[in-house]
Amino acid sequence: MPDRAAIVTGASSGIGLAVARMLGEEGHALTVAARRPDKLVAAAQELRDAGFEVEEVAGNMADEETIKRVVAGHEERFGRLDVLVNNAGVGVGAAAGDHETKRIDLQLAVNLRAIVLFYREALPLLRTAGGEHRNALVVNTSSISGKSGQPWLSVYSATKAGVVGYTQAMNKELNGDGIKSVALCPGFVETPMTEFVREHVPAEDMIRVEDIAEAVRFVLRTSPNCVIPEIVFQRPGEAL
Ligand SMILES: NC(=O)c1ccc[n+]([C@@H]2O[C@H](COP(=O)([O-])OP(=O)(O)OC[C@H]3O[C@@H](n4cnc5c(N)ncnc54)[C@H](OP(=O)(O)O)[C@@H]3O)[C@@H](O)[C@H]2O)c1
């Protein structure tokens, strides 16, 4: 069994891949999960080439069975879970009068419901790690739009505000078990998700995925006495 192990969802690109790489550097064996198999296989290989032990599970995080499969597969391969990163997410813009029900449901399922289900499925493993070193960690990727709702991204904003609320509740419920949770709330980060906005916000003006990964590394290294419930990442001039 490895000394430390982590699950990272949405790890096939962007923030999730950068956080997975950082966790590998910090000595974690990794289960990486995301939707499209080809993209995930390539990302997993990139992590293996960097010298990390990696298991990959492709699937839709809107699907409860996929989530069960990710956690069960991780337990079978690595036998422990110290860090859970709930990062897979999807945003669909629409005006208030135009929301398609299936897109509302997709955003709720991937961005919020999956996080609730991942905690439920992973709790026995997280409690064991928390009992051992009092520093099990759950990282939940919210957004700056979870702190201040954005027009035309209203459903996405609501799901991300839900992530902040759920993270707060989990700290109150699980800190006693040695499990800490943090919500990440970034503005525009340079990833495939923000390609649609490059005309207005150039890539060089965006937050870098390495900035997010370094913040998670900092949280990871804090003592069991220190809970950091959320981190807001703003670009210069992008006030809440
Ligand atoms: N980029 C930003 O400006 C920004 C700002 C605030 C918050 N965020 C949040 O950061 C997280 C990561 O996004 P990113 O910016 O790094 O974008 P990204 O590079 O597009 O990564 C999104 C990841 O989530 C996976 N994913 C999406 N839908 C999924 C589903 N239904 N089932 C399983 N996996 C799914 C993607 O896999 P596939 O590619 O195979 O779908 C990919 O691995 C998201 O939660 C996003 O809401 C991003």
Side-chain angles (χ1 to χ4, degrees):
M1 194 191 296
D3 289 343
R4 291 284 187 272
I7 294 173
V8 184
T9 73
S12 59
S13 61
I15 295 168
L17 180 55
V19 170
R21 194 178 295 117
M22 179 281 295
L23 289 169
E25 290 163 6
E26 294 293 320
H28 293 72
L30 299 165
T31 292
V32 292
R35 188 173 51 106
R36 283 174 285 174
D38 291 358
K39 193 179 156 196
L40 180 64
V41 165
Q45 192 53 48
E46 194 181 315
L47 293 166
R48 276 187 206 105
D49 291 345
F52 312 137
E53 222 182 325
V54 183
E55 180 79 20
E56 79 248 15
V57 183
N60 185 352
M61 300 307 145
D63 173 19
E64 181 173 8
E65 291 312 309
T66 302
I67 292 169
K68 289 182 175 172
R69 197 157 49 84
V70 172
V71 176
H74 177 87
E75 180 169 19
E76 198 178 312
R77 168 87 190 260
F78 298 121
R80 64 177 299 132
L81 180 64
D82 301 277
V83 180
L84 168 63
V85 183
N86 290 310
N87 170 75
V90 57
V92 185
D98 297 335
H99 290 300
E100 288 177 43
T101 306
K102 72 170 188 204
R103 293 191 160 160
I104 301 170
D105 291 345
L106 176 68
Q107 291 175 88
L108 284 165
V110 178
N111 298 356
L112 186 56
R113 178 177 175 265
I115 292 183
V116 178
L117 296 178
F118 261 109
Y119 270 94
R120 186 188 73 194
E121 294 302 313
L123 258 186
L125 287 170
L126 289 169
R127 282 205 168 102
T128 302
E132 190 185 301
H133 52 64
R134 310 301 300 165
N135 229 356
L137 178 65
V138 184
V139 178
N140 298 318
T141 306
S142 174
S143 162
I144 206 163
S145 67
K147 301 295 294 174
S148 173
Q150 297 302 309
W152 299 285
L153 276 175
S154 52
V155 173
Y156 178 78
S157 300
T159 65
K160 294 299 191 179
V163 173
V164 172
Y166 202 75
T167 305
Q168 290 167 349
M170 288 301 98
N171 274 321
K172 289 174 184 160
E173 203 170 313
L174 300 176
N175 280 171
D177 293 334
I179 302 167
K180 305 193 292 195
S181 295
V182 58
L184 307 177
C185 306
F188 285 130
V189 185
E190 188 199 347
T191 73
M193 187 179 256
T194 50
E195 264 158 27
F196 77 99
V197 84
R198 292 288 150 78
E199 217 177 281
H200 307 288
V201 185
E204 59 269 25
D205 290 347
M206 291 189 181
I207 296 161
R208 298 171 313 143
V209 292
E210 292 82 4
D211 296 327
I212 312 282
E214 284 308 313
V216 178
R217 194 196 305 269
F218 164 70
V219 173
L220 191 69
R221 290 180 172 189
T222 53
S223 80
N225 297 335
C226 175
V227 176
I228 300 173
E230 64 188 49
I231 305 178
V232 177
F233 305 75
Q234 292 181 181
R235 296 183 310 111
E238 192 184 52
L240 276 176

PDB file of all heavy atoms in Angstrom, residues 92 94-110 155 159:
ATOM      1  N   VAL A  92     -22.794  25.820 -18.535  1.00  0.00           N
ATOM      2  CA  VAL A  92     -23.562  26.091 -19.754  1.00  0.00           C
ATOM      3  C   VAL A  92     -24.262  27.435 -19.584  1.00  0.00           C
ATOM      4  O   VAL A  92     -25.086  27.597 -18.685  1.00  0.00           O
ATOM      5  CB  VAL A  92     -24.621  24.990 -20.011  1.00  0.00           C
ATOM      6  CG1 VAL A  92     -25.312  25.240 -21.349  1.00  0.00           C
ATOM      7  CG2 VAL A  92     -24.002  23.602 -19.970  1.00  0.00           C
ATOM      8  N   ALA A  94     -26.814  30.478 -20.335  1.00  0.00           N
ATOM      9  CA  ALA A  94     -28.154  30.690 -20.906  1.00  0.00           C
ATOM     10  C   ALA A  94     -28.839  31.818 -20.140  1.00  0.00           C
ATOM     11  O   ALA A  94     -28.547  32.046 -18.962  1.00  0.00           O
ATOM     12  CB  ALA A  94     -29.002  29.413 -20.809  1.00  0.00           C
ATOM     13  N   ALA A  95     -29.739  32.518 -20.837  1.00  0.00           N
ATOM     14  CA  ALA A  95     -30.544  33.547 -20.183  1.00  0.00           C
ATOM     15  C   ALA A  95     -31.643  32.885 -19.358  1.00  0.00           C
ATOM     16  O   ALA A  95     -32.037  31.740 -19.633  1.00  0.00           O
ATOM     17  CB  ALA A  95     -31.145  34.465 -21.239  1.00  0.00           C
ATOM     18  N   ALA A  96     -32.140  33.612 -18.350  1.00  0.00           N
ATOM     19  CA  ALA A  96     -33.089  33.034 -17.384  1.00  0.00           C
ATOM     20  C   ALA A  96     -34.320  32.422 -18.061  1.00  0.00           C
ATOM     21  O   ALA A  96     -34.855  31.418 -17.582  1.00  0.00           O
ATOM     22  CB  ALA A  96     -33.510  34.092 -16.378  1.00  0.00           C
ATOM     23  N   GLY A  97     -34.751  33.009 -19.177  1.00  0.00           N
ATOM     24  CA  GLY A  97     -35.940  32.487 -19.845  1.00  0.00           C
ATOM     25  C   GLY A  97     -35.677  31.309 -20.757  1.00  0.00           C
ATOM     26  O   GLY A  97     -36.610  30.741 -21.334  1.00  0.00           O
ATOM     27  N   ASP A  98     -34.418  30.938 -20.897  1.00  0.00           N
ATOM     28  CA  ASP A  98     -34.051  29.961 -21.935  1.00  0.00           C
ATOM     29  C   ASP A  98     -33.439  28.659 -21.415  1.00  0.00           C
ATOM     30  O   ASP A  98     -32.922  27.867 -22.208  1.00  0.00           O
ATOM     31  CB  ASP A  98     -33.030  30.587 -22.907  1.00  0.00           C
ATOM     32  CG  ASP A  98     -33.617  31.778 -23.644  1.00  0.00           C
ATOM     33  OD1 ASP A  98     -34.848  31.831 -23.782  1.00  0.00           O
ATOM     34  OD2 ASP A  98     -32.833  32.659 -24.052  1.00  0.00           O
ATOM     35  N   HIS A  99     -33.418  28.452 -20.108  1.00  0.00           N
ATOM     36  CA  HIS A  99     -32.719  27.263 -19.593  1.00  0.00           C
ATOM     37  C   HIS A  99     -33.368  25.975 -20.078  1.00  0.00           C
ATOM     38  O   HIS A  99     -34.564  25.774 -19.903  1.00  0.00           O
ATOM     39  CB  HIS A  99     -32.712  27.267 -18.056  1.00  0.00           C
ATOM     40  CG  HIS A  99     -31.833  28.321 -17.479  1.00  0.00           C
ATOM     41  ND1 HIS A  99     -30.485  28.382 -17.724  1.00  0.00           N
ATOM     42  CD2 HIS A  99     -32.111  29.374 -16.675  1.00  0.00           C
ATOM     43  CE1 HIS A  99     -29.974  29.430 -17.091  1.00  0.00           C
ATOM     44  NE2 HIS A  99     -30.938  30.050 -16.463  1.00  0.00           N
ATOM     45  N   GLU A 100     -32.549  25.095 -20.651  1.00  0.00           N
ATOM     46  CA  GLU A 100     -33.038  23.762 -21.032  1.00  0.00           C
ATOM     47  C   GLU A 100     -32.921  22.846 -19.821  1.00  0.00           C
ATOM     48  O   GLU A 100     -31.866  22.788 -19.182  1.00  0.00           O
ATOM     49  CB  GLU A 100     -32.192  23.189 -22.173  1.00  0.00           C
ATOM     50  CG  GLU A 100     -32.444  23.863 -23.498  1.00  0.00           C
ATOM     51  CD  GLU A 100     -31.511  23.293 -24.568  1.00  0.00           C
ATOM     52  OE1 GLU A 100     -31.328  22.059 -24.608  1.00  0.00           O
ATOM     53  OE2 GLU A 100     -30.965  24.095 -25.331  1.00  0.00           O
ATOM     54  N   THR A 101     -33.993  22.103 -19.538  1.00  0.00           N
ATOM     55  CA  THR A 101     -34.036  21.288 -18.322  1.00  0.00           C
ATOM     56  C   THR A 101     -32.853  20.317 -18.262  1.00  0.00           C
ATOM     57  O   THR A 101     -32.232  20.159 -17.208  1.00  0.00           O
ATOM     58  CB  THR A 101     -35.371  20.507 -18.264  1.00  0.00           C
ATOM     59  OG1 THR A 101     -36.425  21.457 -18.395  1.00  0.00           O
ATOM     60  CG2 THR A 101     -35.523  19.766 -16.951  1.00  0.00           C
ATOM     61  N   LYS A 102     -32.524  19.705 -19.384  1.00  0.00           N
ATOM     62  CA  LYS A 102     -31.443  18.700 -19.337  1.00  0.00           C
ATOM     63  C   LYS A 102     -30.097  19.352 -19.008  1.00  0.00           C
ATOM     64  O   LYS A 102     -29.232  18.735 -18.389  1.00  0.00           O
ATOM     65  CB  LYS A 102     -31.391  17.872 -20.625  1.00  0.00           C
ATOM     66  CG  LYS A 102     -30.886  18.593 -21.825  1.00  0.00           C
ATOM     67  CD  LYS A 102     -30.647  17.616 -22.978  1.00  0.00           C
ATOM     68  CE  LYS A 102     -29.955  18.369 -24.092  1.00  0.00           C
ATOM     69  NZ  LYS A 102     -30.058  17.902 -25.386  1.00  0.00           N
ATOM     70  N   ARG A 103     -29.932  20.619 -19.376  1.00  0.00           N
ATOM     71  CA  ARG A 103     -28.667  21.308 -19.062  1.00  0.00           C
ATOM     72  C   ARG A 103     -28.637  21.804 -17.619  1.00  0.00           C
ATOM     73  O   ARG A 103     -27.575  21.873 -17.005  1.00  0.00           O
ATOM     74  CB  ARG A 103     -28.438  22.449 -20.046  1.00  0.00           C
ATOM     75  CG  ARG A 103     -28.199  21.875 -21.429  1.00  0.00           C
ATOM     76  CD  ARG A 103     -27.716  22.879 -22.415  1.00  0.00           C
ATOM     77  NE  ARG A 103     -27.085  22.190 -23.535  1.00  0.00           N
ATOM     78  CZ  ARG A 103     -26.881  22.709 -24.719  1.00  0.00           C
ATOM     79  NH1 ARG A 103     -27.236  23.940 -24.960  1.00  0.00           N
ATOM     80  NH2 ARG A 103     -26.307  22.015 -25.668  1.00  0.00           N
ATOM     81  N   ILE A 104     -29.812  22.148 -17.083  1.00  0.00           N
ATOM     82  CA  ILE A 104     -29.894  22.465 -15.644  1.00  0.00           C
ATOM     83  C   ILE A 104     -29.484  21.216 -14.864  1.00  0.00           C
ATOM     84  O   ILE A 104     -28.639  21.259 -13.966  1.00  0.00           O
ATOM     85  CB  ILE A 104     -31.332  22.867 -15.236  1.00  0.00           C
ATOM     86  CG1 ILE A 104     -31.818  24.079 -16.010  1.00  0.00           C
ATOM     87  CG2 ILE A 104     -31.402  23.125 -13.730  1.00  0.00           C
ATOM     88  CD1 ILE A 104     -33.315  24.373 -15.819  1.00  0.00           C
ATOM     89  N   ASP A 105     -30.105  20.089 -15.227  1.00  0.00           N
ATOM     90  CA  ASP A 105     -29.856  18.831 -14.501  1.00  0.00           C
ATOM     91  C   ASP A 105     -28.399  18.401 -14.612  1.00  0.00           C
ATOM     92  O   ASP A 105     -27.819  17.917 -13.632  1.00  0.00           O
ATOM     93  CB  ASP A 105     -30.776  17.720 -15.031  1.00  0.00           C
ATOM     94  CG  ASP A 105     -32.236  17.962 -14.676  1.00  0.00           C
ATOM     95  OD1 ASP A 105     -32.494  18.822 -13.800  1.00  0.00           O
ATOM     96  OD2 ASP A 105     -33.117  17.312 -15.263  1.00  0.00           O
ATOM     97  N   LEU A 106     -27.801  18.564 -15.799  1.00  0.00           N
ATOM     98  CA  LEU A 106     -26.399  18.161 -15.989  1.00  0.00           C
ATOM     99  C   LEU A 106     -25.479  18.959 -15.057  1.00  0.00           C
ATOM    100  O   LEU A 106     -24.609  18.397 -14.377  1.00  0.00           O
ATOM    101  CB  LEU A 106     -25.977  18.368 -17.447  1.00  0.00           C
ATOM    102  CG  LEU A 106     -24.509  18.079 -17.742  1.00  0.00           C
ATOM    103  CD1 LEU A 106     -24.219  16.578 -17.602  1.00  0.00           C
ATOM    104  CD2 LEU A 106     -24.108  18.566 -19.133  1.00  0.00           C
ATOM    105  N   GLN A 107     -25.690  20.273 -15.008  1.00  0.00           N
ATOM    106  CA  GLN A 107     -24.819  21.114 -14.166  1.00  0.00           C
ATOM    107  C   GLN A 107     -25.017  20.783 -12.682  1.00  0.00           C
ATOM    108  O   GLN A 107     -24.040  20.700 -11.925  1.00  0.00           O
ATOM    109  CB  GLN A 107     -25.091  22.592 -14.440  1.00  0.00           C
ATOM    110  CG  GLN A 107     -24.617  22.997 -15.832  1.00  0.00           C
ATOM    111  CD  GLN A 107     -24.983  24.429 -16.172  1.00  0.00           C
ATOM    112  OE1 GLN A 107     -24.224  25.347 -15.875  1.00  0.00           O
ATOM    113  NE2 GLN A 107     -26.138  24.630 -16.775  1.00  0.00           N
ATOM    114  N   LEU A 108     -26.265  20.580 -12.282  1.00  0.00           N
ATOM    115  CA  LEU A 108     -26.510  20.192 -10.881  1.00  0.00           C
ATOM    116  C   LEU A 108     -25.839  18.859 -10.568  1.00  0.00           C
ATOM    117  O   LEU A 108     -25.224  18.690  -9.510  1.00  0.00           O
ATOM    118  CB  LEU A 108     -28.017  20.092 -10.612  1.00  0.00           C
ATOM    119  CG  LEU A 108     -28.750  21.430 -10.453  1.00  0.00           C
ATOM    120  CD1 LEU A 108     -30.262  21.230 -10.565  1.00  0.00           C
ATOM    121  CD2 LEU A 108     -28.410  22.081  -9.104  1.00  0.00           C
ATOM    122  N   ALA A 109     -25.950  17.913 -11.490  1.00  0.00           N
ATOM    123  CA  ALA A 109     -25.445  16.554 -11.234  1.00  0.00           C
ATOM    124  C   ALA A 109     -23.920  16.522 -11.179  1.00  0.00           C
ATOM    125  O   ALA A 109     -23.342  15.915 -10.277  1.00  0.00           O
ATOM    126  CB  ALA A 109     -25.957  15.600 -12.311  1.00  0.00           C
ATOM    127  N   VAL A 110     -23.271  17.153 -12.152  1.00  0.00           N
ATOM    128  CA  VAL A 110     -21.798  17.066 -12.209  1.00  0.00           C
ATOM    129  C   VAL A 110     -21.163  17.983 -11.163  1.00  0.00           C
ATOM    130  O   VAL A 110     -20.223  17.599 -10.466  1.00  0.00           O
ATOM    131  CB  VAL A 110     -21.278  17.431 -13.622  1.00  0.00           C
ATOM    132  CG1 VAL A 110     -19.758  17.389 -13.664  1.00  0.00           C
ATOM    133  CG2 VAL A 110     -21.866  16.489 -14.659  1.00  0.00           C
ATOM    134  N   VAL A 155     -27.145  29.240 -13.484  1.00  0.00           N
ATOM    135  CA  VAL A 155     -27.276  27.878 -12.956  1.00  0.00           C
ATOM    136  C   VAL A 155     -25.902  27.384 -12.496  1.00  0.00           C
ATOM    137  O   VAL A 155     -25.756  26.828 -11.401  1.00  0.00           O
ATOM    138  CB  VAL A 155     -27.886  26.929 -14.015  1.00  0.00           C
ATOM    139  CG1 VAL A 155     -27.857  25.484 -13.534  1.00  0.00           C
ATOM    140  CG2 VAL A 155     -29.316  27.356 -14.331  1.00  0.00           C
ATOM    141  N   THR A 159     -24.849  26.278  -8.696  1.00  0.00           N
ATOM    142  CA  THR A 159     -24.228  24.996  -8.309  1.00  0.00           C
ATOM    143  C   THR A 159     -22.927  25.251  -7.558  1.00  0.00           C
ATOM    144  O   THR A 159     -22.615  24.555  -6.589  1.00  0.00           O
ATOM    145  CB  THR A 159     -23.929  24.093  -9.530  1.00  0.00           C
ATOM    146  OG1 THR A 159     -22.941  24.706 -10.379  1.00  0.00           O
ATOM    147  CG2 THR A 159     -25.173  23.780 -10.327  1.00  0.00           C
TER     148      THR A 159
END
